[in-house]
Amino acid sequence: MSAPAMQVPLLDLKPQYRVLKSEILTALEQVCDSQAFILGPTVKQLEAEVAAYSGCSHGVGMSSGTDALLAALMALGIGAGDGVITTPYTFFATAGTIVRVGARPVFVDIDPGTYNLSISELEKFLNHECKREGATLAHKASGVRLKAIMPVHLYGQMVDMTPLMALATEFGLRVIEDAAQAIGSADGQGRRACSIGDIGCVSFFPTKNLGAFGDAGMCVTNDAQLAAKLAMIRVHGMEPKYYHQLVGGNFRIDALQAAVLVVKLKHLDTWSRARQENACFYFGAFGKAELTRVISLPEALTGARHIYNQFIIRSPKRDALRMYLSARGVGSEIYYPVPLHRQQCFAYLGYAEGAFPESERAAAETVALPIFPELTREQLQYVVDVIAEFYA
Ligand SMILES: *Cc1c(COP(=O)(O)O)cnc(C)c1O
């Protein structure tokens, strides 16, 4: 085969860097000149700005999205003997952090259209697989005390939080929003991701919509007491200096990363809009090519703000389609090929194959297409044309 007519990478961060290079290097230079690398004014500024952007009053910068989740679980006092309800169709960190605090991840299947935690499955689970024992809610099968729900706003679209919060209140559960892929997304009432549960966690991993130059993350909350506890957990539970009230960790965000993120945050709305426009182009072009009979496009809830960290299509011929795309210069990725209940390290949880059929089907059929802001119309059309060619 001859060389592809076009190259369309899944993600290219260089065009974004080219535009902001001098501004970012100046910001980095200021931190270097100060030689103050740990916390400090730039971190404070980023925390205030990300909190406000997320509709929250407090932000606590963390070393990664993973550490933000870990600190959130610790701040809510979740540990041995406890269970946390979440989705098996997510990045590993969601369940990995639950296990690291000594608790048990308890999975509930996803909705096949949005790929987010299914509210009807959650309701069924709470009503039929749990029982109240005094003030606690026990998971019948494992015996753990259920303490919290960790919904994941996957691919940049929020979980339907209104019924989720009603269930959380009814059953006495705390809520940690895993908004690693969803900074700035909003629900139908305009409420931002992270502003609804007890604590929201974002990631600034370079491939997220707001990416640092390495690892970084943040917890945001409207609860001043939780914010103070998170700030303490981030520095080994230390307050005042060398007096430890609890056992935390070193979960600090770097001042250098904060400096990069303060520059980038100003552009986040523009980038999210460009991603939405790219998604809109795909919807139109896939429709025009009459491909919606053979592939499923992502379900975007009306009135909500989807920030398209990923644009996911579903095809029963996914693996062959990916090879075809790759041979023609189009990047793609599978998020995620193995649902968490089927991961080797979680075999002890005892979930059989078929336990969560929608998560398993999604893992077998979905593929992410290029959606990053700087893609041209020609590149997007080329992706659609290649997929049309595959099906012709
Ligand atoms: C990226 C991601 C995380 C972890 O964030 P890191 O910053 O990479 O540690 C957690 N949950 C989800 C859903 C993610 O996509």
Side-chain angles (χ1 to χ4, degrees):
M1 214 184 102
S2 53
M6 214 183 273
Q7 289 292 331
V8 191
L10 180 69
L11 175 65
D12 182 4
L13 292 167
K14 289 198 186 102
Q16 183 190 85
Y17 178 57
R18 240 175 268 134
V19 174
L20 300 178
K21 185 171 177 175
S22 67
E23 202 181 341
I24 288 176
L25 292 182
T26 303
L28 288 171
E29 194 172 19
Q30 280 169 4
V31 176
C32 293
D33 286 341
S34 77
Q35 288 293 296
F37 298 114
I38 303 299
L39 302 178
T42 315
V43 168
K44 274 217 157 56
Q45 182 186 349
L46 180 73
E47 289 172 338
E49 289 180 1
V50 170
Y53 189 81
S54 304
C56 288
S57 49
H58 298 82
V60 183
M62 298 285 176
S63 32
S64 68
T66 302
D67 288 340
L69 292 170
L70 189 62
L73 287 158
M74 292 168 80
L76 294 179
I78 291 165
D82 295 336
V84 178
I85 301 166
T86 192
T87 163
Y89 188 63
T90 176
F91 179 60
F92 180 78
T94 312
T97 51
I98 295 169
V99 173
R100 284 175 62 199
V101 296
R104 183 184 182 95
V106 179
F107 296 121
V108 168
D109 210 358
I110 57 165
D111 174 274
T114 62
Y115 305 106
N116 277 332
L117 199 64
S118 160
I119 301 299
S120 57
E121 288 299 315
L122 176 64
E123 189 170 6
K124 260 195 272 176
F125 170 85
L126 290 168
N127 282 306
H128 301 299
E129 293 183 46
C130 304
K131 65 170 187 285
R132 291 178 200 263
E133 287 171 349
T136 68
L137 182 70
H139 177 222
K140 288 189 221 166
S142 66
V144 293
R145 297 176 300 260
L146 293 168
K147 283 280 185 68
I149 312 174
M150 198 187 271
V152 180
H153 305 312
L154 203 66
Y155 304 143
Q157 174 161 251
M158 281 177 71
V159 176
D160 194 358
M161 290 299 285
T162 303
L164 185 141
M165 291 306 292
L167 288 169
T169 305
E170 182 186 343
F171 288 91
L173 299 166
R174 309 300 294 267
V175 175
I176 298 171
E177 294 177 63
D178 181 343
Q181 302 182 8
I183 185 170
S185 65
D187 69 2
Q189 290 125 273
R191 296 179 302 177
R192 290 270 162 121
C194 297
S195 68
I196 303 171
D198 293 284
I199 301 172
C201 301
V202 296
S203 164
F204 304 122
F205 186 75
T207 64
K208 312 287 162 125
N209 284 26
L210 179 62
F213 284 8
D215 284 303
M218 195 177 291
C219 288
V220 296
T221 179
N222 278 309
D223 184 322
Q225 262 177 320
L226 278 178
K229 194 166 179 191
L230 287 162
M232 211 189 290
I233 286 168
R234 166 176 77 174
V235 291
H236 292 292
M238 184 164 75
E239 177 63 41
K241 205 170 188 182
Y242 304 127
Y243 289 78
H244 299 263
Q245 301 187 21
L246 45 88
V247 178
N250 176 355
F251 303 138
R252 292 180 296 257
I253 188 172
D254 281 324
L256 282 167
Q257 299 300 350
V260 172
L261 291 164
V262 164
V263 173
K264 283 195 169 193
L265 179 60
K266 299 195 293 270
H267 303 273
L268 183 55
D269 280 337
T270 309
W271 296 330
S272 292
R273 211 172 306 124
R275 286 172 180 270
Q276 289 166 345
E277 282 164 11
N278 291 348
C280 195
F281 183 92
Y282 273 145
F283 279 114
F286 279 121
K288 235 181 274 167
E290 297 190 355
L291 283 167
T292 49
R293 286 173 306 176
V294 282
I295 61 166
S296 311
L297 299 178
E299 197 176 294
L301 301 179
T302 43
R305 185 181 196 232
H306 192 328
I307 59 149
Y308 290 100
N309 178 244
Q310 301 297 346
F311 188 90
I312 301 294
I313 64 165
R314 184 197 280 273
S315 158
K317 296 183 184 167
R318 191 261 320 266
D319 295 332
L321 174 62
R322 275 200 82 202
M323 275 166 57
Y324 196 86
L325 286 165
S326 166
R328 282 151 191 84
V330 178
S332 68
E333 189 52 270
I334 300 170
Y335 301 108
Y336 299 89
V338 181
L340 298 186
H341 68 286
R342 300 299 295 156
Q343 294 287 352
Q344 191 181 341
C345 65
F346 293 147
Y348 74 94
L349 294 172
Y351 291 109
E353 195 172 345
F356 304 105
E358 291 303 345
S359 296
E360 291 169 34
R361 198 163 65 85
E365 294 184 345
T366 58
V367 57
L369 300 179
I371 189 74
F372 66 92
E374 294 82 5
L375 287 165
T376 65
R377 288 291 143 101
E378 291 69 32
Q379 286 177 305
L380 295 167
Q381 186 61 53
Y382 178 74
V383 175
V384 176
D385 291 345
V386 170
I387 295 174
E389 216 178 88
F390 171 79
Y391 276 104

